Amino acid sequence: MLKRFGKSDKLVYICFSAGMPERRHRSPKNMEFSDDSQILEALKNGDESAFEQLFKRFYPRLRCYAIRFMKDDDLTRDLIQDCFVRLWEKRALLASISLSSLLFTMVRNACLNHLKHRSIVEKHQLSYLASIRGQEQLYNVDFDMDAD
């Protein structure tokens, strides 16, 4: 199942196919969860409306937080979406914790892991280019330059 969250101009899709229990609980549409413990309990029971409310509550703040690390809006959205998917998949393992702290930590770690991975890839690309001799080196350098 594919769920759509967000405003019409800024949509985020989250796939609920992996790890979805056969029996799902759904709260009434107008039910508002007053605190994290209620949302946490509802998440553990597989309540999609609790997850949707959690997403709508934290997504804008998480996006502003992550964009400071990444500077790329599309990548930021992907990383945040991955964090929410992991949260949904591992919802049964959640203990009595602050969902805000958990989500911000997950997003920060995802951003830092991505930046670390990108720096390792760039480092290996530069060492490879340094080891190439002659015209091949110039050919590779031309393609690695930005079109700016």
Side-chain angles (χ1 to χ4, degrees):
M1 173 183 8
L2 197 62
K3 294 281 281 185
R4 183 180 98 184
F5 297 107
K7 296 181 177 148
S8 60
D9 60 337
K10 297 177 184 173
L11 299 178
V12 176
Y13 291 92
I14 295 182
C15 182
F16 284 99
S17 60
M20 179 64 82
E22 290 186 22
R23 194 175 119 228
R24 292 176 293 201
H25 301 279
R26 195 144 176 101
S27 298
K29 288 278 188 191
N30 58 357
M31 182 173 177
E32 290 287 325
F33 296 95
S34 60
D35 63 359
D36 281 0
S37 63
Q38 287 180 338
I39 292 179
L40 188 61
E41 194 59 38
L43 279 176
K44 285 182 180 181
N45 293 328
D47 188 340
E48 291 178 13
S49 64
F51 183 79
E52 182 176 355
Q53 190 176 54
L54 180 72
F55 183 87
K56 287 179 179 178
R57 182 190 303 178
F58 286 104
Y59 180 77
R61 289 176 36 209
L62 290 170
R63 190 165 158 223
C64 289
Y65 179 66
I67 201 76
R68 292 187 295 173
F69 291 102
M70 303 310 299
K71 309 288 190 249
D72 179 358
D73 195 43
D74 290 333
L75 182 59
T76 298
R77 290 177 185 190
D78 289 343
L79 290 173
I80 294 171
Q81 180 172 331
D82 290 343
C83 290
F84 275 104
V85 168
R86 277 197 320 272
L87 177 70
W88 178 257
E89 290 173 347
K90 300 194 186 273
R91 67 189 178 278
L93 303 174
L94 295 175
S96 180
I97 56 168
S98 166
L99 289 172
S100 175
S101 297
L102 175 67
L103 286 168
F104 277 93
T105 301
M106 288 175 73
V107 168
R108 183 196 66 215
N109 289 343
C111 291
L112 294 176
N113 287 343
H114 181 80
L115 291 172
K116 183 177 179 182
H117 173 74
R118 188 168 43 185
S119 72
I120 290 170
V121 168
E122 288 173 359
K123 176 183 162 189
H124 286 289
Q125 285 176 341
L126 289 175
S127 66
Y128 172 73
L129 287 176
S131 68
I132 297 176
R133 303 203 187 279
Q135 281 186 331
E136 243 181 82
Q137 184 178 13
L138 292 175
Y139 178 77
N140 285 325
V141 170
D142 287 343
F143 279 109
D144 286 340
M145 297 187 127
D146 291 328
D148 294 336

mmCIF file of all heavy atoms in Angstrom, residues 117-146:
data_model
loop_
_atom_site.group_PDB
_atom_site.id
_atom_site.type_symbol
_atom_site.label_atom_id
_atom_site.label_comp_id
_atom_site.label_asym_id
_atom_site.label_seq_id
_atom_site.Cartn_x
_atom_site.Cartn_y
_atom_site.Cartn_z
ATOM 1 N N HIS A 117 29.618 8.809 3.541
ATOM 2 C CA HIS A 117 29.685 7.936 2.367
ATOM 3 C C HIS A 117 30.114 8.720 1.127
ATOM 4 O O HIS A 117 30.967 8.274 0.359
ATOM 5 C CB HIS A 117 28.327 7.277 2.130
ATOM 6 C CG HIS A 117 28.256 6.491 0.867
ATOM 7 N ND1 HIS A 117 28.871 5.270 0.725
ATOM 8 C CD2 HIS A 117 27.664 6.764 -0.315
ATOM 9 C CE1 HIS A 117 28.649 4.811 -0.494
ATOM 10 N NE2 HIS A 117 27.917 5.706 -1.144
ATOM 11 N N ARG A 118 29.536 9.911 0.966
ATOM 12 C CA ARG A 118 29.886 10.736 -0.199
ATOM 13 C C ARG A 118 31.355 11.153 -0.168
ATOM 14 O O ARG A 118 32.033 11.154 -1.196
ATOM 15 C CB ARG A 118 28.975 11.964 -0.254
ATOM 16 C CG ARG A 118 29.158 12.745 -1.525
ATOM 17 C CD ARG A 118 28.122 13.784 -1.767
ATOM 18 N NE ARG A 118 27.777 14.545 -0.582
ATOM 19 C CZ ARG A 118 26.820 15.442 -0.545
ATOM 20 N NH1 ARG A 118 26.103 15.698 -1.616
ATOM 21 N NH2 ARG A 118 26.556 16.104 0.565
ATOM 22 N N SER A 119 31.887 11.474 1.015
ATOM 23 C CA SER A 119 33.292 11.872 1.095
ATOM 24 C C SER A 119 34.218 10.694 0.788
ATOM 25 O O SER A 119 35.267 10.879 0.160
ATOM 26 C CB SER A 119 33.612 12.472 2.460
ATOM 27 O OG SER A 119 33.635 11.481 3.450
ATOM 28 N N ILE A 120 33.845 9.504 1.206
ATOM 29 C CA ILE A 120 34.653 8.314 0.899
ATOM 30 C C ILE A 120 34.656 8.046 -0.596
ATOM 31 O O ILE A 120 35.706 7.760 -1.187
ATOM 32 C CB ILE A 120 34.141 7.092 1.689
ATOM 33 C CG1 ILE A 120 34.450 7.274 3.168
ATOM 34 C CG2 ILE A 120 34.747 5.797 1.167
ATOM 35 C CD1 ILE A 120 33.793 6.253 4.073
ATOM 36 N N VAL A 121 33.499 8.165 -1.239
ATOM 37 C CA VAL A 121 33.417 7.949 -2.685
ATOM 38 C C VAL A 121 34.266 8.978 -3.417
ATOM 39 O O VAL A 121 35.028 8.638 -4.333
ATOM 40 C CB VAL A 121 31.936 8.003 -3.147
ATOM 41 C CG1 VAL A 121 31.841 8.088 -4.661
ATOM 42 C CG2 VAL A 121 31.175 6.800 -2.630
ATOM 43 N N GLU A 122 34.183 10.239 -3.013
ATOM 44 C CA GLU A 122 34.979 11.288 -3.666
ATOM 45 C C GLU A 122 36.468 11.064 -3.459
ATOM 46 O O GLU A 122 37.268 11.280 -4.372
ATOM 47 C CB GLU A 122 34.563 12.660 -3.147
ATOM 48 C CG GLU A 122 33.204 13.097 -3.634
ATOM 49 C CD GLU A 122 32.719 14.376 -2.992
ATOM 50 O OE1 GLU A 122 33.436 14.936 -2.127
ATOM 51 O OE2 GLU A 122 31.601 14.804 -3.328
ATOM 52 N N LYS A 123 36.845 10.617 -2.276
ATOM 53 C CA LYS A 123 38.251 10.346 -1.988
ATOM 54 C C LYS A 123 38.791 9.250 -2.900
ATOM 55 O O LYS A 123 39.882 9.374 -3.462
ATOM 56 C CB LYS A 123 38.414 9.935 -0.526
ATOM 57 C CG LYS A 123 39.801 9.547 -0.138
ATOM 58 C CD LYS A 123 39.832 9.083 1.308
ATOM 59 C CE LYS A 123 41.084 8.284 1.576
ATOM 60 N NZ LYS A 123 41.044 7.654 2.887
ATOM 61 N N HIS A 124 38.017 8.202 -3.086
ATOM 62 C CA HIS A 124 38.459 7.111 -3.950
ATOM 63 C C HIS A 124 38.473 7.526 -5.422
ATOM 64 O O HIS A 124 39.334 7.078 -6.178
ATOM 65 C CB HIS A 124 37.599 5.868 -3.740
ATOM 66 C CG HIS A 124 37.897 5.185 -2.445
ATOM 67 N ND1 HIS A 124 39.063 4.498 -2.210
ATOM 68 C CD2 HIS A 124 37.188 5.110 -1.300
ATOM 69 C CE1 HIS A 124 39.062 4.027 -0.987
ATOM 70 N NE2 HIS A 124 37.935 4.381 -0.403
ATOM 71 N N GLN A 125 37.545 8.377 -5.815
ATOM 72 C CA GLN A 125 37.563 8.867 -7.189
ATOM 73 C C GLN A 125 38.815 9.693 -7.446
ATOM 74 O O GLN A 125 39.456 9.554 -8.497
ATOM 75 C CB GLN A 125 36.321 9.710 -7.475
ATOM 76 C CG GLN A 125 35.060 8.914 -7.662
ATOM 77 C CD GLN A 125 33.839 9.794 -7.854
ATOM 78 O OE1 GLN A 125 33.849 10.970 -7.522
ATOM 79 N NE2 GLN A 125 32.778 9.210 -8.377
ATOM 80 N N LEU A 126 39.186 10.552 -6.496
ATOM 81 C CA LEU A 126 40.388 11.375 -6.666
ATOM 82 C C LEU A 126 41.650 10.527 -6.680
ATOM 83 O O LEU A 126 42.570 10.776 -7.473
ATOM 84 C CB LEU A 126 40.473 12.423 -5.550
ATOM 85 C CG LEU A 126 39.454 13.546 -5.627
ATOM 86 C CD1 LEU A 126 39.556 14.436 -4.403
ATOM 87 C CD2 LEU A 126 39.631 14.349 -6.892
ATOM 88 N N SER A 127 41.722 9.518 -5.828
ATOM 89 C CA SER A 127 42.914 8.662 -5.832
ATOM 90 C C SER A 127 42.996 7.850 -7.123
ATOM 91 O O SER A 127 44.088 7.617 -7.642
ATOM 92 C CB SER A 127 42.932 7.737 -4.612
ATOM 93 O OG SER A 127 41.878 6.821 -4.657
ATOM 94 N N TYR A 128 41.854 7.472 -7.665
ATOM 95 C CA TYR A 128 41.855 6.760 -8.937
ATOM 96 C C TYR A 128 42.324 7.677 -10.059
ATOM 97 O O TYR A 128 43.134 7.289 -10.899
ATOM 98 C CB TYR A 128 40.458 6.216 -9.249
ATOM 99 C CG TYR A 128 40.345 5.634 -10.630
ATOM 100 C CD1 TYR A 128 40.941 4.419 -10.939
ATOM 101 C CD2 TYR A 128 39.661 6.312 -11.636
ATOM 102 C CE1 TYR A 128 40.854 3.894 -12.212
ATOM 103 C CE2 TYR A 128 39.560 5.791 -12.903
ATOM 104 C CZ TYR A 128 40.157 4.580 -13.193
ATOM 105 O OH TYR A 128 40.074 4.058 -14.454
ATOM 106 N N LEU A 129 41.832 8.910 -10.080
ATOM 107 C CA LEU A 129 42.246 9.853 -11.115
ATOM 108 C C LEU A 129 43.738 10.151 -11.035
ATOM 109 O O LEU A 129 44.392 10.331 -12.053
ATOM 110 C CB LEU A 129 41.449 11.155 -11.003
ATOM 111 C CG LEU A 129 40.000 11.092 -11.451
ATOM 112 C CD1 LEU A 129 39.311 12.415 -11.184
ATOM 113 C CD2 LEU A 129 39.911 10.746 -12.926
ATOM 114 N N ALA A 130 44.265 10.203 -9.831
ATOM 115 C CA ALA A 130 45.692 10.474 -9.670
ATOM 116 C C ALA A 130 46.544 9.320 -10.191
ATOM 117 O O ALA A 130 47.682 9.526 -10.625
ATOM 118 C CB ALA A 130 46.015 10.732 -8.203
ATOM 119 N N SER A 131 45.979 8.118 -10.181
ATOM 120 C CA SER A 131 46.761 6.959 -10.625
ATOM 121 C C SER A 131 46.722 6.759 -12.141
ATOM 122 O O SER A 131 47.515 6.011 -12.691
ATOM 123 C CB SER A 131 46.250 5.685 -9.937
ATOM 124 O OG SER A 131 44.951 5.363 -10.407
ATOM 125 N N ILE A 132 45.816 7.442 -12.845
ATOM 126 C CA ILE A 132 45.696 7.301 -14.296
ATOM 127 C C ILE A 132 46.726 8.202 -14.970
ATOM 128 O O ILE A 132 46.985 9.310 -14.543
ATOM 129 C CB ILE A 132 44.276 7.689 -14.754
ATOM 130 C CG1 ILE A 132 43.258 6.742 -14.157
ATOM 131 C CG2 ILE A 132 44.159 7.677 -16.266
ATOM 132 C CD1 ILE A 132 41.826 7.119 -14.471
ATOM 133 N N ARG A 133 47.277 7.724 -16.058
ATOM 134 C CA ARG A 133 48.288 8.491 -16.780
ATOM 135 C C ARG A 133 47.780 8.901 -18.168
ATOM 136 O O ARG A 133 46.942 8.256 -18.752
ATOM 137 C CB ARG A 133 49.547 7.651 -16.945
ATOM 138 C CG ARG A 133 50.102 7.166 -15.643
ATOM 139 C CD ARG A 133 51.589 6.850 -15.796
ATOM 140 N NE ARG A 133 52.120 6.221 -14.612
ATOM 141 C CZ ARG A 133 52.487 6.850 -13.521
ATOM 142 N NH1 ARG A 133 52.357 8.148 -13.437
ATOM 143 N NH2 ARG A 133 52.972 6.204 -12.501
ATOM 144 N N GLY A 134 48.319 9.990 -18.671
ATOM 145 C CA GLY A 134 48.109 10.392 -20.062
ATOM 146 C C GLY A 134 46.733 10.937 -20.377
ATOM 147 O O GLY A 134 46.096 11.591 -19.572
ATOM 148 N N GLN A 135 46.284 10.658 -21.618
ATOM 149 C CA GLN A 135 45.033 11.202 -22.123
ATOM 150 C C GLN A 135 43.827 10.700 -21.340
ATOM 151 O O GLN A 135 42.841 11.402 -21.201
ATOM 152 C CB GLN A 135 44.848 10.847 -23.588
ATOM 153 C CG GLN A 135 45.642 11.713 -24.519
ATOM 154 C CD GLN A 135 45.297 11.415 -25.967
ATOM 155 O OE1 GLN A 135 44.911 10.299 -26.303
ATOM 156 N NE2 GLN A 135 45.459 12.420 -26.811
ATOM 157 N N GLU A 136 43.880 9.486 -20.845
ATOM 158 C CA GLU A 136 42.760 8.954 -20.074
ATOM 159 C C GLU A 136 42.470 9.825 -18.859
ATOM 160 O O GLU A 136 41.327 10.027 -18.490
ATOM 161 C CB GLU A 136 43.074 7.529 -19.609
ATOM 162 C CG GLU A 136 42.140 6.506 -20.191
ATOM 163 C CD GLU A 136 42.465 5.129 -19.683
ATOM 164 O OE1 GLU A 136 42.023 4.809 -18.576
ATOM 165 O OE2 GLU A 136 43.170 4.405 -20.390
ATOM 166 N N GLN A 137 43.514 10.345 -18.251
ATOM 167 C CA GLN A 137 43.352 11.198 -17.081
ATOM 168 C C GLN A 137 42.575 12.460 -17.459
ATOM 169 O O GLN A 137 41.649 12.857 -16.770
ATOM 170 C CB GLN A 137 44.703 11.556 -16.490
ATOM 171 C CG GLN A 137 44.605 12.372 -15.222
ATOM 172 C CD GLN A 137 45.959 12.663 -14.626
ATOM 173 O OE1 GLN A 137 46.992 12.463 -15.268
ATOM 174 N NE2 GLN A 137 45.968 13.133 -13.399
ATOM 175 N N LEU A 138 42.960 13.087 -18.562
ATOM 176 C CA LEU A 138 42.269 14.292 -19.008
ATOM 177 C C LEU A 138 40.811 13.985 -19.346
ATOM 178 O O LEU A 138 39.910 14.757 -19.043
ATOM 179 C CB LEU A 138 42.974 14.891 -20.225
ATOM 180 C CG LEU A 138 44.363 15.467 -19.966
ATOM 181 C CD1 LEU A 138 45.000 15.903 -21.273
ATOM 182 C CD2 LEU A 138 44.274 16.611 -18.992
ATOM 183 N N TYR A 139 40.564 12.844 -19.976
ATOM 184 C CA TYR A 139 39.215 12.439 -20.346
ATOM 185 C C TYR A 139 38.344 12.312 -19.097
ATOM 186 O O TYR A 139 37.232 12.808 -19.057
ATOM 187 C CB TYR A 139 39.303 11.106 -21.088
ATOM 188 C CG TYR A 139 37.978 10.528 -21.509
ATOM 189 C CD1 TYR A 139 37.292 11.035 -22.608
ATOM 190 C CD2 TYR A 139 37.417 9.471 -20.825
ATOM 191 C CE1 TYR A 139 36.087 10.504 -22.992
ATOM 192 C CE2 TYR A 139 36.213 8.929 -21.206
ATOM 193 C CZ TYR A 139 35.555 9.447 -22.305
ATOM 194 O OH TYR A 139 34.358 8.917 -22.686
ATOM 195 N N ASN A 140 38.845 11.682 -18.056
ATOM 196 C CA ASN A 140 38.090 11.511 -16.813
ATOM 197 C C ASN A 140 37.880 12.826 -16.081
ATOM 198 O O ASN A 140 36.821 13.062 -15.524
ATOM 199 C CB ASN A 140 38.779 10.509 -15.893
ATOM 200 C CG ASN A 140 38.595 9.076 -16.349
ATOM 201 O OD1 ASN A 140 37.539 8.735 -16.868
ATOM 202 N ND2 ASN A 140 39.609 8.267 -16.185
ATOM 203 N N VAL A 141 38.866 13.698 -16.104
ATOM 204 C CA VAL A 141 38.736 14.983 -15.432
ATOM 205 C C VAL A 141 37.659 15.809 -16.110
ATOM 206 O O VAL A 141 36.863 16.468 -15.452
ATOM 207 C CB VAL A 141 40.088 15.736 -15.419
ATOM 208 C CG1 VAL A 141 39.907 17.160 -14.952
ATOM 209 C CG2 VAL A 141 41.065 14.995 -14.517
ATOM 210 N N ASP A 142 37.599 15.780 -17.445
ATOM 211 C CA ASP A 142 36.578 16.536 -18.168
ATOM 212 C C ASP A 142 35.170 16.112 -17.765
ATOM 213 O O ASP A 142 34.297 16.936 -17.607
ATOM 214 C CB ASP A 142 36.751 16.372 -19.683
ATOM 215 C CG ASP A 142 37.933 17.120 -20.227
ATOM 216 O OD1 ASP A 142 38.429 18.020 -19.526
ATOM 217 O OD2 ASP A 142 38.379 16.813 -21.351
ATOM 218 N N PHE A 143 34.940 14.835 -17.594
ATOM 219 C CA PHE A 143 33.607 14.355 -17.250
ATOM 220 C C PHE A 143 33.267 14.562 -15.777
ATOM 221 O O PHE A 143 32.107 14.579 -15.418
ATOM 222 C CB PHE A 143 33.440 12.877 -17.610
ATOM 223 C CG PHE A 143 33.145 12.676 -19.061
ATOM 224 C CD1 PHE A 143 34.076 12.127 -19.906
ATOM 225 C CD2 PHE A 143 31.917 13.074 -19.576
ATOM 226 C CE1 PHE A 143 33.809 11.957 -21.243
ATOM 227 C CE2 PHE A 143 31.639 12.903 -20.912
ATOM 228 C CZ PHE A 143 32.567 12.341 -21.748
ATOM 229 N N ASP A 144 34.246 14.708 -14.938
ATOM 230 C CA ASP A 144 33.996 14.913 -13.520
ATOM 231 C C ASP A 144 33.701 16.361 -13.175
ATOM 232 O O ASP A 144 33.219 16.657 -12.097
ATOM 233 C CB ASP A 144 35.185 14.428 -12.681
ATOM 234 C CG ASP A 144 35.233 12.922 -12.619
ATOM 235 O OD1 ASP A 144 34.192 12.283 -12.878
ATOM 236 O OD2 ASP A 144 36.306 12.383 -12.295
ATOM 237 N N MET A 145 33.979 17.276 -14.095
ATOM 238 C CA MET A 145 33.741 18.691 -13.825
ATOM 239 C C MET A 145 32.239 18.988 -13.942
ATOM 240 O O MET A 145 31.534 18.413 -14.750
ATOM 241 C CB MET A 145 34.521 19.553 -14.797
ATOM 242 C CG MET A 145 36.012 19.385 -14.666
ATOM 243 S SD MET A 145 36.836 20.553 -15.697
ATOM 244 C CE MET A 145 37.901 21.282 -14.518
ATOM 245 N N ASP A 146 31.774 19.901 -13.135
ATOM 246 C CA ASP A 146 30.365 20.312 -13.164
ATOM 247 C C ASP A 146 30.112 21.179 -14.375
ATOM 248 O O ASP A 146 30.990 21.879 -14.873
ATOM 249 C CB ASP A 146 30.011 21.084 -11.902
ATOM 250 C CG ASP A 146 30.013 20.195 -10.668
ATOM 251 O OD1 ASP A 146 29.695 19.016 -10.801
ATOM 252 O OD2 ASP A 146 30.333 20.729 -9.599
#
